[in-house]
Amino acid sequence: MATTLVHADEPTLHHVRYTVGASQLLAEIYHRDMHPVTFADYSHDPYVHSPIVQADVGPGKPWVLETSLTNAEY
């Protein structure tokens, strides 16, 4: 009798690109660059999973962040 090992599929990563632009603005931008273990973790304290960055954006200088998330919905 042969034994077959079964493992969970690796989660699919979704490419996410955040782009913020304006004519001139000093922006405080909350973004996600990590995936919380559960939605409950995110819902309980979204700021832990959404770091803030201060960005000086203007014509020709948008703020851009590219990341990969397993769930880009929240």
Side-chain angles (χ1 to χ4, degrees):
M1 177 185 209
T3 303
T4 304
L5 296 176
V6 178
H7 61 83
D9 292 335
E10 292 294 320
T12 301
L13 291 177
H14 302 276
H15 180 258
V16 177
R17 180 181 183 153
Y18 299 97
T19 304
V20 177
S23 58
Q24 186 171 0
L25 176 70
L26 179 59
E28 291 185 346
I29 304 165
Y30 291 90
H31 61 89
R32 291 230 352 263
D33 61 1
M34 62 179 276
H35 185 278
V37 176
T38 67
F39 180 75
D41 292 341
Y42 176 77
S43 180
H44 177 70
D45 192 357
Y47 297 108
V48 168
H49 304 283
S50 302
I52 186 173
V53 64
Q54 290 188 345
D56 183 17
V57 297
K61 54 180 218 185
W63 176 84
V64 178
L65 173 75
E66 295 194 36
T67 190
S68 295
L69 300 171
T70 55
N71 185 342
E73 292 181 25
Y74 59 87

